[in-house]
Amino acid sequence: MTRFVFLLATISVLLAFSVASAHIVEHTFHVKNLTVEQLCKRQVITAVNGSLPGPTIRVNEGDTLVVHLLNESPYNMTIHWHGIFQLLSAWADGPEYATQCSVRPGHSYTYRFNITGQEGTLWWHAHVQWHRATVYGALLIRPRKGRTYPFPKPYREVPIMIGEWWNGNVVDVENQGLASGGAPNNSDAYTINGRPGDLYPCSSNKTFKLEVIQGKTYLLRIINAALNNQHFFKIANHNMKVVAVDAAYTDPYVTDVVVLAPGQTVDALLTADQSPSFYYMAAHPYVTVAGVPFDNTTTTGIIFYKGANSSKPIMPVLPAFNDTATTHKFYSNLTGLVSGRFWLPPPLEADYKMFVTFGLGLVPCGSNATCAGPNGLRFAASMNNESFEFPTKLSMLEAFFNNVDGIYTTDFPNQPPFVFDYTNASNSFNPNLLITTKSTKVTKLKFNSTVEIVLQNTALISIENHPIHLHGFNFYVLAQGFGNYDSVNDSKKFNLVNPQERNTIAVPVGGWAVIRFRANNPGVWLIHCHLDVHMPWGLATAFVVENGPTPSSTLPPPPADLPKC
């Protein structure tokens, strides 16, 4: 009896500490037009609270985040909290027509959710059309009060957001591409924290600068917010120590280059251990599509040591644009920190297995017109030859909650319709493989089931690296490689001891990756390519995770101010 009373007292103390250490963090986002000068041109963009990037949100694990979105722009708007689990708060996830309908001009919506079991760097961004190009910001999650990082406390924490810039209205750029059926225009520049850097015209005063003190260590919270390009990131003459990716701790990994696909984040410790001087940080794209024009420019920031004499910054030597070897080395050397606070071992078996091929395809142009895609057709993208089409009458989550038929179907195929040599370039324009169909097919999952997905890139139309993002969950990266996945031999390479956790994986060019996750969060969760050039073309599907057996595992009703379609 005494032991039982002691146990109850201990639990009460822990619960009291948990409540006392959590807070409500509240922000108001005013989304409206902003005139900026960039690359010798004045331009109107859509932005949050008059800044690019938008406000940095700082919270502690365990806090509740409340963000009031006031849409004062001329466009529909939603915000996605990229990488947040949204445990029993799927209504706040944000993707248009998936978990909510858009917040229309002149209207508002309040996002409210708890941040539980996560520490590290995430971010927020618009999830409707191409507004992510200018509507984005960092979301930094520190340990709750009384807890520490699993590495020495840094002197300072610095968000580094890599962005992409167009000399034009990004919605017009997207719409022109969709109207023609071809690829949209490439960007005109990349940015670090909204600034192109002094290698671009009219940008000598548009360079992010960071002062450091010799001997101090800084936590760089690096985020790739670009729409369509992976990036190499380096700092001249300095190494970095990676300690987390996608808000999941990793075994410390020392490197002189960081690689990030759109949507990914990296926490890296930088020690100011060089002679006092000026050093460039720089980023340029990693591009895997041969023979296709791309924005081959470089964005820069400047790190300067306190007390250093002003001088021309030293420039790092960035990898070649197509350096797949460096990219694969970085991604495949990351492992999970099993001593981390929220580490759980990966599932050793899977209840549900999927083999998902993805890449580009074609659909008829329509209306007897000729489009700008191959053979006069319209570009499409697909998973298992299903090109995803979002509903518009009702969000998928509302349809799930209210058992409404006709919004989506639960027959997404768990295997491709054809077995072929997926990564053989000779199949790139095979007419028997290119034509796809539009659908809104999803996969229904039992609550708490374990899911394994083989993500298989294809060579259809182009061979490229695709960043695949899963909403609502982290997943374990069991293995990744090149060519066609071999279920007999490649399964022997699975890391079931300390695999890295991510919410976004860059599936290798002409290759594959195997991921697993636990479907322990009821709701509707997208899995899609995080290249905004491919998302509108249909490279997506969704998981509908059923409610659990208890009230604490059942999706609650929608908030009263949820926008309607």
Side-chain angles (χ1 to χ4, degrees):
M1 181 67 179
T2 304
R3 184 173 180 178
F4 178 71
V5 172
F6 174 77
L7 179 61
L8 285 179
T10 302
I11 292 173
S12 299
V13 170
L14 289 173
L15 287 174
F17 173 77
S18 177
V19 172
S21 64
H23 298 85
I24 295 176
V25 178
E26 197 162 3
H27 287 261
T28 299
F29 279 11
H30 294 272
V31 183
K32 53 186 173 182
N33 286 348
L34 174 69
T35 301
V36 297
E37 288 191 18
Q38 203 94 287
L39 273 60
C40 314
K41 182 180 179 180
R42 289 176 63 85
Q43 185 169 313
V44 176
I45 65 171
T46 305
V48 175
N49 294 358
S51 66
L52 177 70
T56 296
I57 294 177
R58 293 176 172 86
V59 295
N60 293 91
E61 190 272 328
D63 286 348
T64 295
L65 181 59
V66 179
V67 179
H68 308 286
L69 172 63
L70 308 180
N71 188 6
E72 302 163 34
S73 82
Y75 302 104
N76 291 346
M77 189 59 55
T78 71
I79 300 294
H80 169 51
W81 313 93
H82 187 109
I84 293 290
F85 294 153
Q86 299 294 0
L87 294 169
L88 299 180
S89 56
W91 303 105
D93 193 44
E96 183 188 35
Y97 298 128
T99 61
Q100 67 167 98
C101 295
S102 295
V103 180
R104 295 175 180 174
H107 291 73
S108 63
Y109 178 54
T110 295
Y111 294 92
R112 184 186 184 98
F113 51 91
N114 296 326
I115 299 173
T116 305
Q118 294 179 276
E119 295 172 359
T121 301
L122 296 173
W123 62 302
W124 57 265
H125 61 80
H127 211 294
V128 51
Q129 292 190 284
W130 273 24
H131 289 298
R132 179 163 68 89
T134 55
V135 178
Y136 65 87
L139 201 173
L140 313 182
I141 309 170
R142 297 188 175 111
R144 66 174 65 197
K145 185 177 180 181
R147 294 177 175 173
T148 60
Y149 295 119
F151 47 80
K153 183 179 179 180
Y155 177 72
R156 185 181 167 194
E157 302 177 14
V158 184
I160 303 289
M161 299 201 74
I162 301 169
E164 201 164 3
W165 178 264
W166 277 261
N167 281 332
N169 183 306
V170 292
V171 175
D172 292 342
V173 172
E174 179 192 16
N175 288 339
Q176 287 163 6
L178 292 174
S180 71
N185 293 336
N186 291 319
S187 56
D188 297 287
Y190 304 109
T191 59
I192 292 177
N193 290 347
R195 304 176 185 183
D198 57 15
L199 301 186
Y200 292 98
C202 305
S203 300
S204 59
N205 63 343
K206 300 282 187 179
T207 305
F208 171 72
K209 296 180 179 179
L210 171 63
E211 182 184 68
V212 298
I213 299 174
Q214 192 172 34
K216 299 292 187 182
T217 297
Y218 299 78
L219 178 61
L220 302 184
R221 297 179 174 271
I222 312 167
I223 302 165
N224 188 353
L227 266 68
N228 294 319
N229 282 286
Q230 298 197 58
H231 277 88
F232 295 113
F233 175 83
K234 289 188 75 171
I235 300 170
N237 293 8
H238 290 74
N239 285 330
M240 292 169 279
K241 182 185 291 184
V242 175
V243 292
V245 295
D246 293 1
Y249 291 120
T250 63
D251 287 317
Y253 174 60
V254 177
T255 178
D256 69 339
V257 60
V258 164
V259 190
L260 306 98
Q264 291 184 329
T265 72
V266 170
D267 285 1
L269 296 173
L270 169 73
T271 299
D273 56 5
Q274 298 298 301
S275 58
S277 189
F278 284 60
Y279 301 88
Y280 274 125
M281 62 175 74
H284 77 196
Y286 163 56
V287 178
T288 55
V289 183
V292 175
F294 65 95
D295 180 357
N296 63 356
T297 60
T298 301
T299 180
T300 55
I302 296 174
I303 287 179
F304 64 98
Y305 280 65
K306 185 175 183 179
N309 294 323
S310 181
S311 62
K312 182 176 177 58
I314 301 169
M315 187 71 179
V317 178
L318 288 162
F321 294 114
N322 62 349
D323 191 343
T324 294
T326 294
T327 302
H328 187 65
K329 177 184 176 182
F330 178 82
Y331 283 137
S332 60
N333 273 313
L334 298 172
T335 51
L337 184 68
V338 297
S339 61
R341 184 170 294 114
F342 303 112
W343 171 265
L344 290 173
L348 298 181
E349 300 292 339
D351 301 313
Y352 188 74
K353 293 187 177 183
M354 304 176 70
F355 188 99
V356 179
T357 59
F358 53 90
L360 297 185
L362 299 170
V363 292
C365 194
S367 303
N368 297 318
T370 299
C371 285
N375 304 323
L377 300 176
R378 178 182 297 278
F379 276 123
S382 66
M383 290 182 161
N384 282 352
N385 207 40
E386 297 290 342
S387 187
F388 195 78
E389 193 167 49
F390 282 94
T392 56
K393 295 180 181 179
L394 189 71
S395 79
M396 297 163 67
L397 187 59
E398 286 184 273
F400 162 71
F401 185 83
N402 294 311
N403 294 312
V404 177
D405 293 329
I407 302 301
Y408 59 82
T409 60
T410 57
D411 56 344
F412 179 81
N414 64 2
Q415 299 285 327
F418 308 107
V419 176
F420 62 98
D421 192 353
Y422 305 115
T423 56
N424 188 335
S426 66
N427 281 321
S428 292
F429 291 94
N430 185 334
N432 297 319
L433 300 173
L434 286 180
I435 302 301
T436 183
T437 56
K438 291 290 183 180
S439 66
T440 312
K441 295 182 178 181
V442 307
T443 300
K444 182 177 282 190
L445 298 173
K446 296 286 187 184
F447 178 79
N448 218 31
S449 60
T450 55
V451 184
E452 176 182 300
I453 311 174
V454 177
L455 296 166
Q456 176 68 63
N457 243 320
T458 67
L460 298 179
I461 296 183
S462 65
I463 303 176
E464 59 185 305
N465 186 303
H466 285 91
I468 303 297
H469 171 48
L470 175 62
H471 289 229
F473 307 94
N474 275 1
F475 51 77
Y476 300 92
V477 181
L478 302 188
Q480 52 191 310
F482 297 96
N484 298 325
Y485 175 73
D486 182 334
S487 60
V488 174
N489 294 310
D490 289 332
S491 61
K492 298 174 184 177
K493 305 172 186 175
F494 285 3
N495 180 356
L496 296 171
V497 177
N498 63 343
Q500 60 180 289
E501 286 186 76
R502 303 212 74 130
N503 62 60
T504 306
I505 182 169
V507 181
V509 55
W512 53 270
V514 181
I515 65 174
R516 277 186 195 165
F517 69 97
R518 295 180 177 90
N520 56 6
N521 191 11
V524 175
W525 308 105
L526 289 180
I527 179 170
H528 65 90
C529 182
H530 217 267
L531 300 177
D532 271 28
V533 69
H534 290 165
M535 179 67 169
W537 290 348
L539 212 166
T541 183
F543 293 106
V544 174
V545 180
E546 296 177 336
N547 285 316
T550 63
S552 62
S553 59
T554 299
L555 182 69
D561 64 338
L562 185 74
K564 303 299 181 183
C565 292

